[in-house]
Amino acid sequence: MAGDLEGGKSLSGLLSGLAQNAFHGHSGVTEELLHSQLYPEVPPEEFRPFLAKMRGLLKSIASADMDFNQLEAFLTAQTKKQGGITSEQAAVISKFWKSHKIKIRESLMKQSRWDNGLRGLSWRVDGKSQSRHSTQIHSPVAIIELEFGKNGQLSQKGRVGQF
């Protein structure tokens, strides 16, 4: 089986498919599709652990946003690890990451943002005119409003608080 999983083109295709599914939201790239298109000769019980290993490696590399020195150290450690990867697989993974790092990073950044950004900020200082305690009346209060949103969409306003 190990020889069947060594092919550089197949592994590169597998990594692309995993990236499409995990980072770019293409749910049509399934385990079955990857298996049938890239590794049809490998039995499913051998393909699944290999797929899980490659998915885990790719997610580790992407979540750590590894630069190329970190990537080389990580892949070298994986080649020396029991049940790890071969040096040929490490070379394919390295080449893949070098060509896809920016797109994967941008996709992860886009997914991790609650909204694209701050659209507006307003603030003012008021004097309290009512309070439970008479000592707090006429004390200064800062009110800050932040407006979040994406371009072309209605925004959401929220008061941060009174200080």
Side-chain angles (χ1 to χ4, degrees):
M1 180 203 68
D4 296 340
L5 297 173
E6 287 295 320
K9 282 188 177 183
S10 293
L11 181 54
S12 183
L14 180 71
L15 294 170
S16 292
L18 289 172
Q20 288 297 316
N21 181 279
F23 307 120
H24 303 298
H26 297 127
S27 58
V29 182
T30 63
E31 177 181 323
E32 294 77 23
L33 178 70
L34 294 172
H35 182 237
S36 67
Q37 295 294 312
L38 300 170
Y39 296 98
E41 72 286 349
V42 178
E45 61 274 4
E46 293 179 13
F47 178 73
R48 280 189 199 99
F50 177 71
L51 179 69
K53 182 192 313 182
M54 291 302 139
R55 181 182 288 128
L57 289 173
L58 191 55
K59 284 187 176 184
S60 294
I61 293 166
S63 65
D65 192 25
M66 291 186 188
D67 64 28
F68 302 118
N69 291 331
Q70 292 170 319
L71 178 67
E72 288 304 315
F74 177 73
L75 293 175
T76 299
Q78 292 299 315
T79 59
K80 295 178 179 178
K81 189 174 160 182
Q82 180 81 19
I85 59 174
T86 66
S87 56
E88 292 80 13
Q89 290 169 337
V92 173
I93 294 168
S94 179
K95 184 177 178 183
F96 173 83
W97 184 245
K98 286 176 183 174
S99 63
H100 291 84
K101 176 183 178 175
I102 293 170
K103 286 182 182 176
I104 290 173
R105 184 177 189 281
E106 287 172 356
S107 177
L108 287 173
M109 293 290 289
K110 191 175 180 182
Q111 292 172 27
S112 68
R113 288 189 191 133
W114 175 66
D115 258 323
N116 278 350
L118 181 64
R119 293 183 70 192
L121 168 77
S122 62
W123 63 275
R124 68 179 189 269
V125 177
D126 283 345
K128 274 192 176 181
S129 61
Q130 293 180 347
S131 178
R132 290 184 186 173
H133 306 289
S134 61
T135 57
Q136 291 182 345
I137 294 178
H138 302 299
S139 61
V141 176
I143 299 173
I144 302 171
E145 288 185 348
L146 301 173
E147 185 178 357
F148 295 98
K150 297 181 180 182
N151 289 336
Q153 291 185 353
L154 293 175
S155 60
Q156 299 174 351
K157 275 191 177 181
R159 262 191 197 173
V160 173
Q162 298 179 354
F163 304 95

